[in-house]
Amino acid sequence: MRRIRSVKPAVRFPVSTTLLRRLTYANIVANVAIVVTGGAVRLTASGLGCPTWPRCTDESYTTTAEMGVHGVIEFGNRLLTFAVGIIALATLLAVLLHRPRRRGLLPLAVAVFLGIPAQAVLGGITVLTDLNPWVVGLHFLASMLVIAAAYALWQRAKDPDGPVVAVVPAPLRTLARITTAVSAAVLVIGTWVTGSGPHAGDHGAARNGLDPETISQVHADSVFLLIGLSVALVFAFRAVGAARAYRAALVLVAVELGQGLIGFVQYFTDLPAVLVGAHMLGSCLVLLATLSVQWSTRERQPVAPAPAPPSTPAVEPVAANA
């Protein structure tokens, strides 16, 4: 009896590779944008524009006329969370519908998607704790983790599915990891500086109690260390002829210098809101540039084609003896 092979049903709405990559890139843009708009909420003292969560007021899920512009700004940022979530959901569906199924994309897409409601809950906790500076800082750092996952998803969507191969010597890969760790430390210390400064998100919000001048100096010292390590990477990558890593390190140094300049100017001009907002955007760019350097130290090879099955030699018919 002849065996009938089971045929997997074709995907009804296939997703192209181009669309998948565009959606993963849109994830990065959307999550950076919500960090910037979240900064605008804090810098306009609208952090408690909606004084409770998940509702905007005890009686309404939306802002009311009595709440004024601060309510509009805070509620608008909450609405933007839904837009970011829709992009993350579209990306997750694209990963599931893309054929052939890409190995390693699904966990990252799920992480980005789940990071959005987790961020919303954490944002709600910041409101319920009256903008506790430590919770506000944790909210920002969680956004950095979501951006990092979105960046990894975008890069993974561009890479083939073969084995990972290092393109720089092991000591330079270690130096790149150290630079990434210092970059993360700079972001953490930056939240401490913010928590000690004047832009609390509301005129009655508490500060973290750290001395602004002292913690700002610690932050500046960590930035100097980061720039020094990044410059070392530039020269090291050039010395070993790693062109892609060299370009990524140059971009990182340029972003760091721009971010450092904004930081110094804002410090010596009493922290104007516009510069503080630009500094928040710069923090996202420093993170992305750091991840780019880390990614440039390795590359993923294309999948080797499956070996062809051995051919069966033809058998000549033997004529029967007359």
Side-chain angles (χ1 to χ4, degrees), residues 86-87 104 126 140-141 153-154 159 212 291 295 306:
I86 290 171
I87 295 174
T126 65
F140 173 80
L141 294 175
L153 177 61
W154 174 62
D159 288 347
L291 294 174
W295 218 270

Side-chain angles (χ1 to χ4, degrees), residues 6-305:
S6 60
V7 180
K8 293 183 178 180
V11 177
R12 187 174 181 182
F13 302 105
V15 172
S16 67
T17 300
T18 300
L19 177 59
L20 177 62
R21 290 176 180 175
R22 287 176 178 173
L23 283 171
T24 58
Y25 186 76
N27 258 325
I28 300 174
V29 175
N31 281 282
V32 170
I34 202 167
V35 169
V36 176
T37 58
V41 171
R42 181 169 58 83
L43 295 171
T44 57
S46 303
L48 294 178
C50 288
T52 189
W53 188 88
R55 298 189 181 198
C56 192
T57 69
D58 290 333
E59 295 79 23
S60 174
Y61 281 98
T62 62
T63 185
T64 61
E66 294 79 10
M67 301 169 68
V69 66
H70 294 304
V72 172
I73 293 173
E74 165 64 7
F75 184 70
N77 191 62
R78 293 187 183 190
L79 287 180
L80 185 59
T81 301
F82 288 98
V84 178
I86 290 171
I87 295 174
L89 176 60
T91 305
L92 176 58
L93 293 176
V95 169
L96 292 172
L97 295 175
H98 184 265
R99 292 294 182 273
R101 180 69 64 80
R102 296 291 309 280
R103 187 172 65 239
L105 291 186
L106 185 58
L108 291 170
V110 170
V112 174
F113 175 68
L114 294 181
I116 307 305
Q119 274 290 76
V121 172
L122 193 52
I125 295 174
T126 65
V127 173
L128 297 176
T129 57
D130 294 327
L131 305 181
N132 181 290
W134 299 106
V135 180
V136 172
L138 183 62
H139 187 40
F140 173 80
L141 294 175
S143 295
M144 296 297 103
L145 290 177
V146 176
I147 290 173
Y151 180 85
L153 177 61
W154 174 62
Q155 285 284 12
R156 190 66 185 82
K158 296 195 304 176
D159 288 347
D161 288 330
V164 175
V165 177
V167 296
V168 298
L172 297 189
R173 297 200 302 275
T174 301
L175 181 58
R177 294 189 192 103
I178 293 173
T179 304
T180 301
V182 172
S183 181
V186 168
L187 291 174
V188 172
I189 299 171
T191 65
W192 302 346
V193 176
T194 300
S196 69
H199 297 292
D202 184 81
H203 297 299
R207 302 285 71 208
N208 59 21
L210 299 176
D211 178 61
E213 185 174 348
T214 301
I215 196 62
S216 294
Q217 184 61 56
V218 173
H219 184 56
D221 292 340
S222 65
V223 169
F224 287 138
L225 175 59
L226 177 60
I227 293 175
L229 290 170
S230 302
V231 171
L233 284 175
V234 169
F235 286 103
F237 289 152
R238 183 176 182 181
V240 298
R244 178 175 165 229
Y246 169 70
R247 291 192 298 269
L250 275 179
V251 171
L252 175 59
V253 171
V255 172
E256 289 168 349
L257 291 176
Q259 176 75 334
L261 178 61
I262 293 173
F264 275 108
V265 172
Q266 72 171 5
Y267 180 78
F268 289 109
T269 55
D270 296 325
L271 302 174
V274 173
L275 288 182
V276 175
H279 200 56
M280 292 187 68
L281 173 60
S283 297
C284 299
L285 298 180
V286 168
L287 172 64
L288 292 172
T290 303
L291 294 174
S292 176
V293 169
Q294 189 66 54
W295 218 270
S296 70
T297 62
R298 32 76 76 205
E299 64 181 20
R300 193 176 288 272
Q301 300 294 319
V303 178

